Amino acid sequence: MTKAFPGTVVAADKAAVVVTSKSLYQVAEFLKNTPALDFDYLTNLTAVDYMDYFEVVYHVISLKHNHSLVLKTRCHDRDKPAVPSVVSLWRSADFQEREAYDLMGIIFEGHPNLKRLLLWEGFVGYPLRRDYL
Amino acid sequence: MAIRTEPFILNMGPQHPSTHGVFRMRVTLDGEVVVDVEPVIGYLHRGIEKLGETRTYTQIIPLTDRLDYVASMTNNFAYVLAVEKLAGIKIPERAEYLRIIMAETMRIANHLMAVGFFLNDLGAMMTPVLYMWREREKLLDLYEMVCGQRLTYNYMRIGGVSQDVPEEFLPALKKFVAEMPGFIDEYDQLLSQNEVLLARTKGVCILPRDTAINTAASGPVLRASGVKWDIRRADPYSIYDRFDFEIPVGTVGDNYDRYWVRMQEMRQSVRILEQAIAQLPEGEVCARVPHLLRPPIGEVYGHIEAPKGELGFYLVSDNSIAPYRLHIRPPTLINLTALKDMVVGWKVADLIITFGSIDVCLGEIDR
């Protein structure tokens, strides 16, 4: 399906499509703006810490066609994991990206207001990482 | 001589009666007109997602009660459905029906509270709330019968429900279902054509359809903006495909529509309850599930139509007794994204009622 972008898909199965973090924004834009796909509703965004890498998970739905897709991307840099922000495509990512930054320490590049959401300013560490505590 | 003016920043909350919990809004005002609003949250953050990683799958059920404590039965429901999807567990018919009964009575109880407090924010001090709570009490009595609790139920289990309902439950539920349409008519008479309510809510703080979709608003907020999207129909879970009900949809997405959609949803819930009671079979209420459940390696995203919107659970399993990752998609946190779009250009008093019309629960926003 996403053969429109050669070399971007890292892994794909029935459940999810994993793309490189560099191409994430283009893939997301393609998913949203192609009329046949029309994924207009980003319902859930979260991140998982697999120790070797972080996985950012996007659950997108098309309200018109009533189909859904799980889009994922991985970042291996533990000190400064960075992923492009999709707030300009789906504004529902605003709080959810801030939450993933707050609790997991993922940096969403291009987010208009990336600061902690639930914890206070000046909190040290990212509690949802597996090596926290 | 022109008077020099500048925007005024007002911190509303975290302790404020109309904020439904510990919620702070950083509002920028030009006189009385709202220029900008930024929600500041986290006062009730208990780290439920992190706690979940150190507990077994069954031990997480009481934690989910503490999310949206106004509708905790629904949270139980969403969580156990996600785990059952992950582990591939089939549950008995009677349990399915009992869950639907709980979920729909919970929707009524939640909407009664939502509408009541919405009117409270409007200035109808306490009277509508007390009318609504008259009915909500009956539902809480029903829950007390089935599990001994009135707020945090911990009733559903992976594989079914914790126990069958006592014999006095069904007669009381039937009585409630028979009486409820009359009570909704009473509220309609009292409120829906009320001149003050119309003046304060019609055409006020409109959320356009496109913005609602782009900000992933869900539940009554999305449907009030004219989007016919209900997960019970779009992605049927449990046994919702067996029931006949309609999805009320608003027209413009103003505060009145958000109120109206909730009133209509209560009527539809009564319809579902009537069908569920008529079809309720006898039998087991819980499947045999190991105490220390080890779901296969994998992940699942289960979502349901909670009273406040789409409640989702994202679970990652590594075949151990505790989930590797538990993420909760709270409906009202994401509905809050659209708050700014609704209120900019309106007055402070409208900000309060619009916030009430989203129907937030801080237990769920902060987790």
Side-chain angles (χ1 to χ4, degrees):
Chain A
M1 193 171 67
T2 24
K3 286 293 167 277
F5 303 98
T8 59
V9 177
V10 178
D13 55 21
K14 259 191 195 156
V17 180
V18 186
V19 298
T20 57
S21 58
K22 263 203 299 260
S23 63
L24 178 91
Y25 188 83
Q26 281 116 18
V27 173
E29 204 174 21
F30 173 76
L31 290 174
K32 190 186 173 217
N33 295 333
T34 310
L37 300 171
D38 197 25
F39 284 105
D40 50 1
Y41 193 89
L42 172 72
T43 177
N44 183 38
L45 188 162
T46 187
V48 188
D49 179 7
Y50 285 107
M51 295 315 279
D52 295 340
Y53 55 88
F54 291 101
E55 197 166 75
V56 186
V57 187
Y58 304 79
H59 289 89
V60 284
I61 300 182
S62 163
L63 297 192
K64 198 167 141 208
H65 304 297
N66 193 6
H67 55 208
S68 60
L69 180 82
V70 186
L71 183 69
K72 290 179 177 179
T73 186
R74 287 170 188 166
C75 30
H76 295 268
D77 184 0
R78 210 163 168 83
D79 299 324
K80 201 173 173 296
V83 170
S85 166
V86 292
V87 174
S88 51
L89 292 172
W90 296 291
R91 279 196 30 227
S92 55
D94 187 351
F95 286 158
Q96 303 193 70
E97 285 185 352
R98 275 179 66 188
E99 188 190 315
Y101 164 71
D102 186 359
L103 303 177
M104 200 67 95
I106 313 278
I107 295 157
F108 291 91
E109 286 166 340
H111 190 288
N113 183 23
L114 192 66
K115 56 182 188 188
R116 284 189 183 273
L117 180 73
L118 297 172
L119 302 172
W120 57 95
E121 302 276 322
F123 185 90
V124 180
Y126 303 105
L128 273 183
R129 288 190 177 183
R130 293 298 289 198
D131 53 5
Y132 188 85
L133 283 183
Chain B
M1 193 182 82
I3 301 168
R4 198 176 65 84
T5 61
E6 55 186 43
F8 175 71
I9 291 173
L10 178 68
N11 271 301
M12 285 178 124
Q15 307 295 342
H16 191 289
S18 66
T19 52
H20 306 248
V22 274
F23 177 84
R24 180 153 70 96
M25 287 187 268
R26 201 168 170 276
V27 195
T28 311
L29 296 172
D30 176 10
E32 208 189 334
V33 178
V34 177
V35 181
D36 191 15
V37 53
E38 190 192 346
V40 183
I41 56 174
Y43 294 94
L44 205 62
H45 180 59
R46 294 148 294 172
I48 285 180
E49 292 182 5
K50 185 77 179 172
L51 279 172
E53 290 174 8
T54 56
R55 271 152 184 75
T56 67
Y57 283 89
T58 310
Q59 284 174 332
I60 294 169
I61 299 172
L63 289 181
T64 66
D65 279 326
R66 275 88 185 154
L67 294 170
D68 178 2
Y69 42 77
V70 179
S72 14
M73 210 64 107
T74 332
N75 306 335
N76 288 177
F77 193 22
Y79 171 71
V80 294
L81 274 176
V83 177
E84 282 158 9
K85 203 165 151 189
L86 182 63
I89 296 166
K90 191 112 179 65
I91 79 160
E93 279 282 289
R94 188 173 170 84
E96 295 268 25
Y97 278 93
L98 288 178
R99 283 180 178 184
I100 298 285
I101 287 172
M102 296 309 159
E104 292 306 317
T105 48
M106 203 77 248
R107 191 181 313 276
I108 295 174
N110 178 79
H111 284 356
L112 284 171
M113 200 157 160
V115 172
F117 277 107
F118 170 64
L119 292 155
N120 211 19
D121 292 344
L122 255 172
M125 204 58 191
M126 267 357 235
T127 312
V129 177
L130 288 175
Y131 269 90
M132 309 266 171
W133 279 36
R134 184 185 58 186
E135 270 64 68
R136 194 168 183 274
E137 277 301 304
K138 294 172 192 160
L139 290 173
L140 297 189
D141 289 344
L142 288 176
Y143 297 137
E144 199 176 354
M145 281 180 208
V146 296
C147 58
Q149 297 292 329
R150 293 171 70 83
L151 189 70
T152 48
Y153 308 108
N154 189 18
Y155 178 55
M156 298 197 190
R157 290 288 180 279
I158 297 158
V161 295
S162 68
Q163 59 214 302
D164 204 347
V165 292
E167 59 184 48
E168 66 266 29
F169 176 82
L170 273 180
L173 178 67
K174 278 178 187 155
K175 184 162 173 283
F176 174 82
V177 169
E179 287 174 353
M180 192 62 200
F183 289 126
I184 303 176
D185 289 342
E186 192 181 286
Y187 307 142
D188 259 341
Q189 261 174 13
L190 181 69
L191 303 163
S192 293
Q193 297 304 318
N194 183 303
E195 213 173 302
V196 181
L197 184 111
L198 291 177
R200 287 292 306 278
T201 58
K202 272 269 183 197
V204 174
C205 296
I206 292 171
L207 178 65
R209 190 191 147 92
D210 293 344
T211 316
I213 294 174
N214 198 248
T215 52
S218 55
V221 178
L222 178 68
R223 288 190 286 276
S225 298
V227 186
K228 199 167 182 165
W229 180 260
D230 187 314
I231 298 163
R232 288 176 292 174
R233 275 271 182 272
D235 182 13
Y237 53 91
S238 188
I239 50 167
Y240 271 107
D241 46 356
R242 296 185 198 171
F243 300 112
D244 182 29
F245 64 96
E246 276 151 37
I247 306 168
V249 175
T251 44
V252 284
D254 55 5
N255 278 338
Y256 184 80
D257 277 349
R258 287 188 278 276
Y259 155 81
W260 182 85
V261 163
R262 289 195 175 95
M263 291 296 268
Q264 299 305 314
E265 279 188 9
M266 282 197 266
R267 291 185 192 277
Q268 298 303 325
S269 291
V270 172
R271 268 180 75 186
I272 297 175
L273 283 172
E274 283 167 355
Q275 297 167 49
I277 295 169
Q279 296 172 18
L280 180 67
E282 292 295 320
E284 292 286 308
V285 293
C286 197
R288 289 185 70 83
V289 176
H291 283 299
L292 288 176
L293 181 70
R294 292 172 192 270
I297 293 171
E299 56 177 64
V300 71
Y301 178 68
H303 58 175
I304 72 161
E305 187 70 35
K308 293 181 168 68
E310 176 184 343
L311 174 64
F313 277 85
Y314 178 69
L315 287 162
V316 180
S317 164
D318 60 350
N319 197 19
S320 68
I321 55 170
Y324 186 78
R325 173 88 167 93
L326 165 73
H327 175 71
I328 302 150
R329 184 243 195 242
T332 45
L333 170 69
I334 296 162
N335 286 355
L336 270 182
T337 318
L339 178 67
K340 189 180 161 187
D341 298 79
M342 292 188 231
V343 297
V344 166
W346 293 91
K347 302 247 162 64
V348 175
D350 299 320
L351 169 67
I352 297 295
I353 57 170
T354 308
F355 183 65
S357 79
I358 298 177
D359 180 23
V360 297
C361 181
L362 269 295
E364 170 179 271
I365 290 175
D366 293 345
R367 278 157 290 148

